[in-house]
Amino acid sequence: MTHSAAREHDHQSPNSSVPILGAVDHARVHSKVLASPVIKGPIIRRPKAVGLAEKFDADAAGVTEMQRLRSQYGSGPVQLKVFPGRKVALLLDPADVHRVLNETPDPFSPASLEKRGALNHFQPGGALVSSVNARKKRRPFNEAVLQTGRTVHSHADAMTNAIREEVDSLRGHIEFNGALDWDAFSLMWWRIVRRVVLGDSARNDQQITEDLNQLRERGNLAYLVPKNRSRRKRFTKRLRHYLELAQPGSLAAMAADVPASTGTMPEQQIPQWMFAFDAASWATFRAMSLLSADPETSQLARKELDQAPDLPTLRAVALESLRLWPTTPLILRETTKETQWRNGTLDKGTSILIFAPFFHRDDETLADAHCFAPELWLENRNDNDWPLVPFSGGLGMCPGRNVVLLTASMVLGELFRNHDFTAENTAAEPLDVEQLPGTLSPFSSRFITKFRNARGAPKSQDQS
């Protein structure tokens, strides 16, 4: 299609429907855009699938396909069918992304059919899958406990203490092995998450993490598998136990103190917090790859460590990791009424899909699309900026955004305080911060470590 024909699509009669892709374009979108996030695991990642996606740079192929669609169809959304009777509108323009996020939850509800099918396996009463009216009660509870508007949570001292103790425990492993891999990092991370969310007594409660992860694996298959009600019952019972303990400094303690309206069910909100922390572990380990490839940024971050827990450079690095490799590549909304667009209408009940990698890595529009550019996050962003949405946006923005970023930046700070890391990725070449790959697996990343002396310089052989 020519550019003039693409512009015609943008100016179709508002009484007509938004264009539906033809058979060939349907197949291309399913194979190049949707397949990778689904196969990798939308709710919990499948490490082998992520490794394959990295090998074939699958997410970069998705961005290229989105660019082709925009060139062919113009900037208006396009529709495709994912199964009989179900239409999905794919957004191609940043203004439409801002509109959808700013007009959440009505007429663009976060509780899409696809999301409900996945998350109902482990949090059927969570705010994210609630009706508009139920959300009005549950969302404020989440925001109050997580202190959404605060960069530094009021429980930051307890969080910082847990992070420092767990990173300190990891140091013995690092110094004995001379390396850090995903398994050791993940074990440490989940101990931190359980302490931060549930309290210190949950540190070694690996069963609750295992139950959550097993339920999330079912969530990957959404409606295709039955719910494991016995496991979910056990998981929920353990959450209630920690809410009753309400150990000082934990989010569970705050949840026990914050008034919850009828039907909010605090134990139904907590799984989403733990889910978000898991995604943050992938982003944090990828951030280590970025820092190891950019000594200048690592050195700048070390100079800020005395400002802990507010670490702006490391916070920016974590956000940049999420921009480059979004942990939520498919942001979903569902229309609660018929909506009008520049190229037609969308019916009530249409699923809206924002493919985050496209808006984060569109090198036809963004000069720094494939570069490591943490400076993007050192100033506040608004709707005049290109939509970089690692935590979604608008009223649907992740309420735990700041708690997650505080944890990620503190973990990075404690790790890099006394060690240098050299990444050993599965890729044949070291990371080039000027041309980063579309996919990076945290699960196969490994770092060679070198201890730094008291002055901050790496130890030489005769000092060890």
Side-chain angles (χ1 to χ4, degrees):
M1 182 179 292
T2 65
H3 288 295
S4 61
R7 287 194 295 271
E8 287 178 13
H9 271 285
D10 275 351
H11 295 91
Q12 289 186 350
S13 167
N15 295 320
S16 63
S17 294
V18 165
I20 298 177
L21 298 178
V24 172
D25 285 336
H26 257 89
R28 290 179 65 104
V29 170
H30 277 284
S31 63
K32 295 180 178 293
V33 177
L34 302 183
S36 176
V38 172
I39 293 172
K40 286 188 295 185
I43 305 301
I44 188 169
R45 294 294 188 267
R46 302 179 178 104
K48 290 182 180 179
V50 176
L52 284 173
E54 178 184 54
K55 180 178 179 180
F56 294 104
D57 211 8
D59 295 304
V63 172
T64 300
E65 176 60 19
M66 292 289 290
Q67 291 171 332
R68 187 193 68 82
L69 285 176
R70 180 179 57 198
S71 175
Q72 180 169 346
Y73 289 92
S75 60
V78 292
Q79 292 191 85
L80 61 150
K81 296 178 181 179
V82 291
F83 51 81
R86 184 63 170 169
K87 292 180 181 177
V88 172
L90 196 60
L91 300 189
L92 301 173
D93 187 82
D96 292 340
V97 175
H98 289 307
R99 174 192 174 186
V100 166
L101 297 181
N102 289 336
E103 295 180 25
T104 294
D106 190 25
F108 304 110
S109 171
S112 69
L113 177 68
E114 296 82 6
K115 198 178 295 181
R116 294 196 304 272
L119 301 189
N120 280 348
H121 281 277
F122 58 94
Q123 53 178 57
L128 201 57
V129 290
S130 299
S131 66
V132 173
N133 288 332
R135 177 185 173 83
K136 290 178 181 178
K137 298 179 180 180
R138 293 168 178 169
R139 173 79 185 197
F141 173 82
N142 282 267
E143 292 183 350
V145 174
L146 299 169
Q147 298 182 353
T148 301
R150 294 184 56 162
T151 302
V152 177
H153 196 279
S154 62
H155 286 185
D157 286 347
M159 295 175 183
T160 298
N161 183 62
I163 291 166
R164 285 177 171 161
E165 288 183 358
E166 297 304 334
V167 173
D168 192 53
S169 295
L170 181 66
R171 284 197 183 100
H173 170 88
I174 291 174
E175 291 171 9
F176 179 79
N177 291 281
L180 175 61
D181 61 14
W182 169 256
D183 288 342
F185 177 85
S186 181
L187 181 65
M188 173 206 68
W189 182 270
W190 273 110
R191 286 173 175 168
I192 291 170
V193 171
R194 290 191 293 266
R195 292 179 67 177
V196 167
V197 177
L198 304 175
D200 288 344
S201 66
R203 178 185 187 266
N204 295 318
D205 190 351
Q206 295 187 41
Q207 184 64 60
I208 198 168
T209 301
E210 179 63 20
D211 282 344
L212 174 59
N213 289 343
Q214 288 291 326
L215 293 169
R216 288 170 60 200
E217 285 185 11
R218 287 178 172 264
N220 275 346
L221 299 173
Y223 296 105
L224 298 178
V225 296
K227 297 177 178 64
N228 187 333
R229 299 184 187 279
S230 61
R231 187 182 289 273
R232 191 173 75 191
K233 182 178 180 181
R234 180 174 67 184
F235 173 64
T236 304
K237 182 178 179 181
R238 291 299 292 165
L239 292 178
R240 291 196 187 106
H241 165 72
Y242 290 113
L243 283 165
E244 291 169 1
L245 280 181
Q247 291 190 299
S250 68
L251 295 178
M254 183 158 281
D257 289 339
V258 170
S261 59
T262 303
T264 293
M265 299 173 292
E267 70 276 10
Q268 289 289 319
Q269 313 313 311
I270 292 176
Q272 184 63 32
W273 308 346
M274 299 177 74
F275 176 16
F277 269 114
D278 189 25
S281 71
W282 316 329
T284 304
F285 213 53
R286 287 170 174 147
M288 290 190 64
S289 292
L290 293 170
L291 287 166
S292 69
D294 188 349
E296 184 176 338
T297 301
S298 298
Q299 189 59 29
L300 178 61
R302 288 188 180 101
K303 292 179 180 178
E304 295 179 352
L305 292 180
D306 289 342
Q307 302 175 31
D310 186 11
L311 302 171
T313 296
L314 289 174
R315 179 186 174 92
V317 171
L319 281 162
E320 183 65 349
S321 171
L322 286 161
R323 177 187 75 84
L324 292 161
W325 304 291
T327 55
T328 305
L330 303 179
I331 299 174
L332 299 174
R333 297 290 186 268
E334 186 172 293
T335 57
T336 60
K337 63 184 74 169
E338 182 181 272
T339 53
Q340 298 291 328
W341 304 80
R342 70 178 67 79
N343 61 343
T345 63
L346 291 174
D347 294 336
K348 175 183 177 180
T350 300
S351 183
I352 306 287
L353 194 155
I354 301 167
F355 183 55
F358 170 55
F359 293 99
H360 291 188
R361 303 291 292 270
D362 180 14
D363 56 9
E364 293 180 355
T365 306
L366 300 173
D368 295 326
H370 305 311
C371 299
F372 176 41
E375 64 275 7
L376 290 172
W377 304 101
L378 294 176
E379 296 182 1
N380 291 330
R381 307 189 63 82
N382 57 47
D383 282 4
N384 294 320
D385 297 311
W386 189 262
L388 305 180
V389 286
F391 287 95
S392 188
L395 294 178
M397 180 180 286
C398 174
R401 177 179 189 267
N402 283 320
V403 169
V404 162
L405 288 173
L406 184 149
T407 303
S409 58
M410 278 295 300
V411 167
L412 290 170
E414 291 305 305
L415 284 170
F416 276 81
R417 181 187 296 274
N418 295 314
H419 290 85
D420 283 321
F421 295 88
T422 302
E424 287 190 347
N425 296 305
T426 55
E429 300 294 332
L431 279 185
D432 177 358
V433 294
E434 297 297 324
Q435 189 63 40
L436 291 160
T439 309
L440 180 68
S441 173
F443 311 112
S444 55
S445 294
R446 185 172 183 270
F447 300 92
I448 304 301
T449 61
K450 182 179 290 187
F451 185 75
R452 301 174 65 84
N453 64 23
R455 295 182 179 180
K459 275 191 174 183
S460 62
Q461 291 287 342
D462 59 357
Q463 291 175 306
S464 56

